Amino acid sequence: MSKDKNKWRKSTNLVHEAEPRTAYGETGETLFLTSGYVYDSAEQAQARFLGEDNGYQYSRFGNPTVRSFEKRMIAIESADFIADTGFEIDARATATGMAAVTATMLCYLKAGDHVVAAEALFGSCRYIVETLLPRYGIKTTLIDGTDLNAWEHAALPETKIFFLESPTNPMLDILDIEAISEIAHRHDALMVVDNVFATPVLQNPFTLGADIVIYSATKHIDGQGRCLGGIVLGRKDWIDDYLANFIRQTGPSISPFNAWVMLKSLETMELRVHAHCDRAEKLAEVLSTHPKVSRLIYPGNPNHPHYKLAQKQMQRGGNLISFEVSGGQKAAFQVANNLQLVKISNNLGDAKSLITHPSTTTHLKLEEQERLKVGITPGTLRVSVGLEDPQDLIDDFVKALELLGS
Ligand SMILES: Cc1ncc(COP(=O)(O)O)c(C=O)c1O
C-alpha cells in the first residue's frame, strides 16, 4: 500500500496503510512487542546509531507496530489534500494525548517564546499552557477563541504557537480553524489543533491551514475504552527537526501493544464515528425540546451558536452533547445518578455512552469564575454518546430527567 500512498481514499487508508507484511504474509498486522532489536554485527549497530542504516534500534525511538499506527494516521490525514500542496505529513505516536500536547510544546518552545491559546481547553491542556509553560519562562495568553480579533491582538513578535481545540471541551464551541490559521501564519506562529472531539473522520485541520494536529488516541481512535495513546502529526521537516529527537531523548513513547490496538481500531473508526453521530443527532433532538433541559449544546443542531461554522469545517456534529439542567450541581448529579444505561465516566469516544459533570471532574481544577467564563455552570453535563440502540438512550435520558426533583 505505501508505494501508492496518494492513490487511495481515506476509508481505504484506514483499513490498509501499515508497514509491509512479514515473510509469513499475515493479514492482521503483526504486534512487535519488543523493546530492543539485535544487529548482525557491531558495525551494523554503529551504522544504525550514526543514522547510516535505517533499521530499528530501540522502541523508545521507533517500533514497526508503532510506525504502522503512525503511517495509517499519516495516510488518512494526507488523503484529502497532500497531492496538491506538497506538504508532507509525518507523525509520532505518544503514550497519551497529554504526552502529545506536552511534547509538541516542549520540543519547540524555549524561554522567552510566547503561546496564544483559547481559554476553552481540556483541563490538563489548560494546565500545560497556564501553569507549566510559564514555569520555564514561556509566556502564555489565554483568550476567547471564538473572537478572531482576540487572536490578532494577543499575537506578539515572540509568539511561536497558536493552540486550540474545536469543538471545545466541554462547551462545544466551534473555533474558525481556517481564519485563526491565517492569523497565526501572518505572525509566523504554528497553528496547533487538538482535534480530539472532531476526530479525523469529521474534521481535517490540515485542509484548514493547521500545521500540527494532535489526538488523544484514547478516545475515538481506540473507541472501546481500552488503551491510552496519543499522536502528533505535522510537517515532516518540523517532526524531523523538533519532535522526533525530543521523543527519542525524553521518552513519552507509546507501548507497541497500545499502538497495535489503535492500528486495528482505525479499521472501524469511520463506521463507528458515523454511528455515534446518528445516535447523538437523535438524542440531541429530544433533549433540545425537553422541558427540564434549560440549554442544549450540540454542534449538529441548528440552534448551536456556531452551527454555520460547524457545517463548514466539520462533516457532522460529532458524538459529544452538553446540556444544562436548572437546579445547579444538585440537579445535574441527580440526572447522572438516575441514568441506568449511560455510565458516569469522564472518558469519551467509547462504544458505551458516558456522562460527566465537568465542573466537578475534568474542569475541577479551574477557579469557579474561570469555569463560568467558558460557560461551564454547575448544572452542565457532558455526554459522550456511544453505540447503544438510540431509543434505549433516549428512554434512559427521558426517565432520568422525569425523576429530576422527585
Ligand atoms: C480535548 C482533549 N485533549 C487531550 C486529552 C488528553 O488525552 P489523554 O487522556 O489520552 O492524555 C483529552 C482527554 O482526556 C481531551 O479531551
Side-chain angles (χ1 to χ4, degrees):
M1 291 300 292
S2 51
K3 262 192 265 162
D4 294 320
K5 207 189 293 191
N6 299 329
K7 186 175 155 192
W8 309 108
R9 293 178 180 81
K10 193 192 255 183
S11 313
T12 307
N13 289 334
L14 276 164
V15 178
H16 284 283
E17 183 66 23
E19 288 283 71
R21 293 189 167 81
T22 72
Y24 294 112
E26 65 282 357
T27 46
E29 293 76 2
T30 306
L31 166 55
F32 290 95
L33 199 55
T34 182
S35 39
Y37 305 84
V38 295
Y39 308 102
D40 293 340
S41 64
E43 287 76 9
Q44 189 185 46
Q46 182 187 29
R48 294 249 172 111
F49 275 80
L50 284 170
E52 292 165 359
D53 182 300
N54 277 335
Y56 289 97
Q57 294 155 269
Y58 190 57
S59 286
R60 170 156 43 81
F61 327 156
N63 169 285
T65 307
V66 173
R67 193 60 191 153
S68 286
F69 169 48
E70 292 167 351
K71 283 175 90 167
R72 196 164 283 183
M73 288 297 296
I74 294 164
I76 62 175
E77 291 289 351
S78 306
D80 290 337
F81 91 117
I82 196 165
D84 39 287
T85 60
F87 177 151
E88 191 184 347
I89 296 174
D90 201 352
R92 286 293 181 276
T94 53
T96 63
M98 286 321 303
V101 174
T102 310
T104 298
M105 297 290 174
L106 294 186
C107 79
Y108 187 60
L109 298 167
K110 58 181 185 334
D113 288 345
H114 177 240
V115 174
V116 185
E119 62 197 351
L121 285 179
F122 169 58
S124 298
C125 295
R126 193 152 158 170
Y127 164 82
I128 303 283
V129 172
E130 207 172 18
T131 308
L132 187 72
L133 295 182
R135 269 201 219 154
Y136 297 94
I138 299 156
K139 290 174 287 174
T140 62
T141 307
L142 287 166
I143 53 151
D144 171 0
T146 63
D147 177 358
L148 295 181
N149 287 327
W151 290 97
E152 185 71 58
H153 291 139
L156 301 171
E158 54 274 28
T159 303
K160 291 288 184 326
I161 282 182
F162 273 27
F163 179 47
L164 61 82
E165 57 191 45
S166 181
T168 62
N169 183 358
M171 299 315 290
L172 310 176
D173 284 332
I174 306 296
L175 275 53
D176 191 334
I177 298 173
E178 194 165 23
I180 300 166
S181 296
E182 191 271 317
I183 301 169
H185 295 154
R186 218 163 355 88
H187 292 279
D188 290 327
L190 289 182
M191 176 71 175
V192 179
V193 176
D194 177 338
N195 204 36
V196 169
F197 272 37
T199 80
V201 175
L202 301 178
Q203 177 170 277
N204 295 104
F206 286 120
T207 65
L208 301 166
D211 301 288
I212 294 163
V213 178
I214 294 173
Y215 291 100
S216 162
T218 316
K219 309 299 189 276
H220 308 80
I221 293 176
D222 174 355
Q224 288 141 88
R226 297 163 295 188
C227 290
L228 295 167
I231 191 160
V232 184
L233 298 113
R235 291 181 86 101
K236 188 174 174 347
D237 53 358
W238 182 85
I239 301 269
D240 288 347
D241 293 348
Y242 295 98
L243 187 67
N245 194 44
F246 181 89
I247 289 185
R248 176 183 176 128
Q249 308 297 353
T250 64
S253 322
I254 191 169
S255 141
F257 179 80
N258 287 10
W260 179 79
V261 171
M262 302 305 178
L263 174 73
K264 299 305 290 174
S265 294
L266 283 174
E267 293 174 11
T268 55
M269 181 174 65
E270 192 174 33
L271 302 176
R272 286 187 281 106
V273 167
H274 284 293
H276 279 293
C277 290
D278 293 341
R279 287 149 180 79
E281 284 162 11
K282 290 193 172 112
L283 181 62
E285 206 180 315
V286 170
L287 293 178
S288 70
T289 55
H290 196 285
K292 297 221 170 130
V293 173
S294 47
R295 187 172 170 216
L296 179 277
I297 308 158
Y298 180 59
N301 186 301
N303 290 331
H304 188 286
H306 315 129
Y307 177 68
K308 263 201 178 148
L309 182 57
Q311 293 273 297
K312 184 184 147 221
Q313 68 184 27
M314 293 174 72
Q315 265 190 45
R316 294 179 75 177
N319 82 313
L320 278 302
I321 297 174
S322 290
F323 67 97
E324 194 179 31
V325 284
S326 40
Q329 180 176 320
K330 189 167 172 241
F333 272 27
Q334 239 185 319
V335 173
N337 290 335
N338 287 343
L339 289 163
Q340 307 246 305
L341 174 61
V342 178
K343 303 299 173 221
I344 301 171
S345 170
N346 46 286
N347 200 13
L348 60 99
D350 196 308
K352 295 178 175 63
S353 290
L354 306 173
I355 191 162
T356 195
H357 181 248
S359 61
T360 54
T361 60
T362 53
H363 291 71
L364 175 69
K365 295 266 156 59
L366 290 190
E367 298 288 330
E368 195 185 356
Q369 80 228 38
E370 291 298 331
R371 279 198 297 268
L372 292 175
K373 208 165 155 223
V374 294
I376 308 171
T377 63
T380 302
L381 290 157
R382 185 198 76 193
V383 188
S384 170
V385 180
L387 296 175
E388 299 90 345
D389 183 284
Q391 195 55 49
D392 284 342
L393 286 173
I394 290 168
D395 291 349
D396 202 29
F397 274 98
V398 168
K399 267 189 214 139
L401 286 162
E402 267 164 17
L403 287 170
L404 190 54
S406 61

